[in-house]
Each structure stands twice: as structure tokens, then as C-alpha cells.
Amino acid sequence: MKIVGHLDHAAADELREPAAALALRPGRRPVVDLGGTEYRDSGGTTALLVVRDHAIAADADVALAAVPDHTMGVPQVVGPEHVFALHPGGEAADRH
């Protein structure tokens, strides 16, 4: 899954809806590629946590990839770097 543009409160449903439709299998780790994200606020971070909760309910996990440095302020404040596996790029992430 790739996010482009703003990931904020207004756009959070655009992430949650397709994520909820993912057919997750136990042990899998889908990747959310944030390389195209220009801005993320706490609403966007909350949406990422909802996606992770959905994955955990299926005995799976979620990784974040290509997280732009300019969007790291919110995660450092709320702490998802302790919740998500972080990968430098979408292609390098372990998808299973």
C-alpha cells in the first residue's frame, strides 16, 4: 500500500478503508510505503495504528517503509517507531 500526499485527519479514512479490505493471513507483514507522503499529523498516525490493529487481529503485522524525514516529528512524539517495523524503502521491506 502506498500513501501519496497528506496523511492527516481528513485523509485517514482513505487509508483505513482499503486496509480493512486487505485479506491478511497470520504471520504476514504488509508494508505501507510512506515515501510519497508530504505531511502527516496525529490523525494520520492514528490511522496507521488502526491499520496495525486490523493486522494484529488477523495475527499479522504492518511495517512502514520509506518514511520521509520531514514526517518523523509526529512519530517521535507519539511513539509508533516503537510499534512499527521501519524500513528505508518499500522494496527492501520484508513482506512476510
Side-chain angles (χ1 to χ4, degrees):
M1 180 179 306
K2 185 171 179 99
I3 307 299
V4 177
H6 289 211
L7 180 54
D8 55 15
H9 180 75
D13 286 339
E14 294 175 27
L15 173 62
R16 285 189 283 243
E17 290 171 9
L22 287 175
L24 297 170
R25 295 184 308 227
R28 299 294 293 184
R29 180 184 279 172
V31 175
V32 178
D33 183 345
L34 298 175
T37 305
E38 299 169 2
Y39 171 81
R40 185 174 72 239
D41 69 6
S42 62
T45 300
T46 299
L48 292 171
L49 294 171
V50 169
V51 170
R52 182 176 180 271
D53 288 346
H54 172 68
I56 288 173
D59 199 24
D61 198 1
V62 173
L64 304 180
V67 180
D69 288 341
H70 63 274
T71 66
M72 285 301 289
V74 171
Q76 290 172 352
V77 171
V78 297
E81 72 276 11
H82 301 289
V83 176
F84 292 98
L86 299 177
H87 300 283
E91 297 81 27
D94 177 14
R95 297 176 190 276
H96 57 310

